[in-house]
Amino acid sequence: MHSGGTGTLIVTGGSRGIGAATARLAAAQGYAVAVNYARDEGAARAVVAAISASGGRAVAIGADVAVEADVLRLFAEAERALGPITALVNNAGITGGRARLADVSVEAVARVLAVNVAGSILCAREALRRMSTRRGGGGGAIVNVSSLAARIGGAGDWVHYAASKGAINSMTVGLAREAAEEGVRVNAVAPGLIETEIHAANGMPDRLAQLAPTVPMRRAGSPDEVASAILWLLSPAASYVTGTIVEVGGGR
Ligand code: NAP
């Protein structure tokens, strides 16, 4: 049961923010979309309902990307419901909370690395096992959601989080080279300040207003602006683009 359009996309953390915008735009472009979430089933179902109301195909699948058994089930359920996986957006991510490095807890560091790094690698592995032409797959594309923090370091807020996104950048470049002959392109987007709930969730509801003046464009970006870059990287329009990190940060 193939979607017949652009294929099947899994968006991890597709229930809110950048992931939800990506799921909606992908569905509008013809992808069948698996909208993954961790805890907020209602938010994921709302994204699926909006896609269905617009004539698209989507399912909500709960899975913690840091848990291998959950990731295996996510891919199996997505494939069963929507057809062969042709695209993955590794978007699920957490900051671990705001803390100077001298005050960060080992639990926060471990959880950030488990979700952001191990989770993305596990999902990429499952995608590769299905897409790789070396393994009988039909090829595909992966986009990892990194952060500008990987370049600017997250000083004063979350160096631990920035370091996790540095790992995502390395994974993007390495996996792109490894999979280049297997029909799979791997790229990343590195968003800057984006209007999502992640800031308030970390106790900084005013963060965007405070930092917007430091952005050359003098504003935060929208989740849709990040989704556009992600969908371009997934699309045939980017057929010779792999191992690239596209910054979506208003010049920051
Ligand atoms: P958000 O609004 O907080 O949404 C996070 C999404 O990830 C939610 O759908 C959440 O699902 C899901 N999620 C969290 N932990 C998960 C887990 N263990 N397994 C599966 N799903 C999980 O975040 P956002 O701002 O859109 O961020 C999305 C990505 O962009 C992240 O990787 C983030 O680091 C990156 N980013 C964001 C910004 C920014 O300014 N917003 C800037 C640079 C990079 P539940 O609600 O069910 O937990």
Side-chain angles (χ1 to χ4, degrees):
M1 193 173 56
H2 195 274
S3 73
T6 26
T8 295
L9 165 69
I10 294 178
V11 183
T12 67
S15 56
R16 292 190 284 113
I18 293 167
T22 301
R24 286 191 301 263
L25 185 60
Q29 295 185 3
Y31 288 92
V33 185
V35 179
N36 160 249
Y37 64 95
R39 289 160 310 195
D40 192 345
E41 183 180 357
R45 291 203 177 285
V47 173
V48 168
I51 289 172
S52 302
S54 311
R57 289 177 68 208
V59 291
I61 303 174
D64 179 345
V65 296
V67 176
E68 184 181 26
D70 280 23
V71 171
L72 298 182
R73 184 174 48 74
L74 166 63
F75 276 75
E77 281 184 19
E79 212 162 34
R80 196 162 49 237
L82 303 171
I85 311 302
T86 59
L88 166 69
V89 177
N90 261 326
N91 166 78
I94 57 169
T95 67
R98 188 183 195 195
R100 296 179 72 84
L101 194 135
D103 300 316
V104 78
S105 72
V106 68
E107 290 80 11
V109 174
R111 184 66 185 157
V112 166
L113 295 179
V115 174
N116 297 7
V117 183
S120 296
I121 291 174
L122 279 175
C123 289
R125 185 190 75 185
E126 291 312 304
L128 250 295
R129 286 178 173 176
R130 288 163 173 81
M131 295 173 184
S132 169
T133 52
R134 187 175 288 174
R135 289 168 174 262
I142 297 173
V143 173
N144 298 317
V145 181
S146 178
S147 172
L148 270 193
R151 174 164 59 74
I152 63 181
D157 287 339
W158 35 49
V159 171
H160 51 286
Y161 166 76
S164 79
K165 295 300 189 178
I168 290 301
N169 290 357
S170 299
M171 189 267 271
T172 301
V173 172
L175 183 57
R177 293 178 178 187
E178 204 169 279
E181 282 187 298
E182 301 175 37
V184 180
R185 294 182 302 102
V186 185
N187 292 288
V189 294
L193 283 176
I194 308 300
E195 293 159 355
T196 73
E197 295 165 14
I198 206 169
H199 311 285
N202 287 283
M204 294 183 283
D206 301 332
R207 184 161 187 261
L208 295 177
Q210 278 169 9
L211 290 180
T214 69
V215 178
M217 283 191 184
R218 302 281 184 264
R219 67 172 178 89
S222 73
D224 287 338
E225 289 176 306
V226 182
S228 294
I230 292 172
L231 265 298
W232 174 71
L233 285 168
L234 290 179
S235 78
S239 54
Y240 199 53
V241 181
T242 199
T244 294
I245 296 153
V246 175
E247 297 196 346
V248 186
R252 196 169 177 220

